[in-house]
Amino acid sequence: MDFQAGILRDGSPMESLEKQLICPICLEMFSKPVVILPCQHNLCRKCANDVFQAANPYWQSRGSVISGGRFRCPSCRHEVLLDRHGVYGLQRNLLVENIIDIYKQECSSRPLKKGEHPMCKEHEDERINIYCVTCEVPTCSMCKVFGAHKDCEVAPLQTVFQGQKTELNNCISMLVAGNDRIQTIISQLEDSCRSTEENSEAAKRELCARFDALTALLEEKKSELLERITREQGDKTGFVQGLISQYKEQLEKSSRLVETAIQAMEETGGAAFLMGTVGDTAVISLPRIVEASKGSRLEKIEHGYESMDAFSVSLDHLAEAVCALDFNPAEEDEEYFDGEEEEVEE
C-alpha cells in the first residue's frame, strides 16, 4: 500500500516517526495486522508469513498436525521459534497499529506541498504519473502524447510500482530464507570442524598408545635376548676360567718338576742319581718326570669357541614392516574404489 510515505520532508518528528513504521521486508509502512517478534521487532503479518514459508517450505497450514518451524528476524537475525499455528501464533502489536492509524490521519489531513511530487523535466507543470515500459523510466502524460515516449508502451505508474515492490518483497523473502539456510550450513560446518578436531585428537591418542605398546614389547624382547647373551657369556667365561685355573695348577707342578730335574742333573754320583736322591733329599723318580714331559692331558676349547655369532638377530623384516605401516582404508573408500573399477570395466 502507498500511504504517501514521502509526504513529509521538512525534518519534523513525523518524518522520524515514518521511518520507524517501515517494514524491513516490504519497505513500506506496516500493514495490519502487525506482529511482534520475541526480539521486539515488528513485521507485517504477510511479510512474516512469507519469510516463514520461505524458511520452512514443507510446513503445512494450521490444520496440520506438523509441529511449528523457525525463521530468523530480518532485523537482528534472532531465531524465532513458532508453534503449530505458525505466524498466526505471534502476538499482534496493537500499539503500532494505532500509531499507524494516527499517522495516516495526520498525513491525509495535510495538503500536498508544491515540489513534493516529482515533476517532468521536459514539461515542468506535468507530474510524473506513468511508466514507460519500453524505456524503463517514469514519465508524464505529455511525453506519451507529444514527447519522446509517444511510440512507447506505457503502464500506470502505481501498477508498475506495486509490481516491482512485490517482486522486491519476494526477493527479500528469498534472501532472508537463503540467509537462514546459509547460517544453518555455517553451523553444520562449525560442528563438523569441532568434530574433526575431537576425532583427530582421539586418533592421535590411540596411535600413540599403540606405538607405546609396541615399544614396550620391543623393550621386553630386547631385555630377554640380552639376558640370554649374558647367560651364554657367563657359561663360556666360567668354563674358560676353570680351564685357566687347571692349566695354572699344571704349570706350577711342571715348574717344580723342572727344578727337581735340574737338581738331579747336578748329581754326580751314579748310585744316588739312580736311587732318586740328591744328597740327603729324595727326588721324584725319572719315570714320572718323563711322563710329565710328554704334555698335559687337560681339556681344551674348540676353535671359534668364543664366537657369539649364534646370537645375531636380523631386524630387516621388522624394519620393512614398520616402514609399511599405514592407516587402514575405510570400508566406504573400498566400496567407492570397487565402484570405480566396475565403471571402468563397463
Side-chain angles (χ1 to χ4, degrees):
M1 298 177 63
D2 184 15
F3 296 110
Q4 299 175 340
I7 195 170
L8 298 177
R9 294 291 185 269
D10 55 357
S12 65
M14 295 296 289
E15 180 180 359
S16 301
L17 177 61
E18 176 188 345
K19 294 180 180 179
Q20 300 299 322
L21 299 178
I22 300 298
C23 175
I25 298 297
C26 62
L27 302 181
E28 294 183 5
M29 188 170 295
F30 290 115
S31 61
K32 294 192 297 185
V34 180
V35 295
I36 182 170
L37 304 180
C39 57
Q40 304 303 313
H41 289 112
N42 298 287
L43 291 176
C44 306
R45 177 180 286 176
K46 179 181 180 303
C47 296
N49 189 62
D50 292 341
V51 175
F52 175 72
Q53 292 291 343
N56 303 269
Y58 301 106
W59 189 85
Q60 300 181 8
S61 61
R62 284 186 291 174
S64 169
V65 296
I66 297 180
S67 61
R70 64 184 65 192
F71 70 95
R72 292 187 180 275
C73 173
S75 298
C76 64
R77 308 301 300 157
H78 177 79
E79 189 175 50
V80 180
L81 301 177
L82 301 180
D83 57 15
R84 61 187 182 88
H85 300 288
V87 175
Y88 291 91
L90 293 174
Q91 184 179 359
R92 290 179 59 177
N93 195 334
L94 299 179
L95 176 61
V96 174
E97 293 181 10
N98 294 333
I99 293 174
I100 291 174
D101 291 338
I102 296 174
Y103 179 82
K104 291 178 182 177
Q105 295 176 3
E106 176 67 19
C107 291
S108 61
S109 63
R110 284 194 165 200
L112 286 174
K113 296 181 180 180
K114 184 179 180 181
E116 289 182 348
H117 197 286
M119 308 300 289
C120 179
K121 295 181 180 180
E122 298 295 332
H123 308 90
E124 297 180 356
D125 295 333
E126 293 293 328
R127 301 166 64 183
I128 294 178
N129 56 359
I130 61 175
Y131 185 83
C132 179
V133 179
T134 305
C135 301
E136 297 182 349
V137 293
T139 185
C140 70
S141 300
M142 296 297 294
C143 289
K144 170 58 181 172
V145 178
F146 304 105
H149 301 283
K150 62 181 180 179
D151 297 327
C152 298
E153 180 185 356
V154 296
L157 185 65
Q158 191 66 19
T159 302
V160 178
F161 167 73
Q162 291 296 338
Q164 292 190 3
K165 290 294 286 291
T166 301
E167 182 180 359
L168 180 60
N169 182 31
N170 294 335
C171 292
I172 293 174
S173 300
M174 293 177 64
L175 288 174
V176 171
N179 291 340
D180 290 339
R181 287 191 292 269
I182 292 175
Q183 184 64 42
T184 301
I185 294 175
I186 291 175
S187 300
Q188 292 175 350
L189 293 176
E190 290 176 348
D191 293 340
S192 177
C193 185
R194 286 191 294 269
S195 298
T196 301
E197 293 177 353
E198 294 173 357
N199 294 337
S200 298
E201 292 300 325
K204 290 179 182 178
R205 290 193 296 269
E206 182 180 359
L207 183 65
C208 291
R210 290 180 180 273
F211 270 85
D212 291 342
L214 181 60
T215 302
L217 181 62
L218 290 174
E219 288 292 335
E220 181 180 356
K221 193 64 177 179
K222 183 180 72 173
S223 300
E224 177 186 345
L225 296 178
L226 288 175
E227 183 180 356
R228 288 175 58 185
I229 294 175
T230 303
R231 187 165 57 249
E232 182 68 13
Q233 174 189 357
D235 293 342
K236 286 190 174 183
T237 54
F239 178 73
V240 173
Q241 290 292 342
L243 290 180
I244 292 174
S245 299
Q246 294 178 18
Y247 276 95
K248 285 183 176 180
E249 182 180 355
Q250 180 66 28
L251 179 60
E252 183 179 355
K253 292 180 179 180
S254 178
S255 298
R256 288 198 299 268
L257 286 175
V258 170
E259 293 178 357
T260 303
I262 292 173
Q263 293 178 3
M265 289 294 293
E266 294 176 352
E267 178 61 42
T268 58
F273 178 83
L274 294 176
M275 291 175 62
T277 58
V278 178
D280 296 332
T281 303
V283 298
I284 194 168
S285 63
L286 180 60
R288 293 187 62 184
I289 295 176
V290 173
E291 181 67 22
S293 65
K294 292 181 179 180
S296 174
R297 296 180 181 178
L298 295 177
E299 187 178 1
K300 299 180 180 180
I301 60 175
E302 299 178 355
H303 177 70
Y305 176 80
E306 67 280 359
S307 174
M308 302 293 285
D309 294 340
F311 294 92
S312 177
V313 176
S314 176
L315 300 178
D316 294 341
H317 62 290
L318 289 180
E320 294 176 357
V322 171
C323 293
L325 282 177
D326 201 351
F327 299 105
N328 296 326
E331 295 181 358
E332 293 80 1
D333 296 339
E334 295 178 355
E335 294 177 357
Y336 175 74
F337 292 141
D338 294 340
E340 283 189 341
E341 293 177 356
E342 292 177 358
E343 291 179 359
V344 172
E345 292 177 356
E346 292 177 359

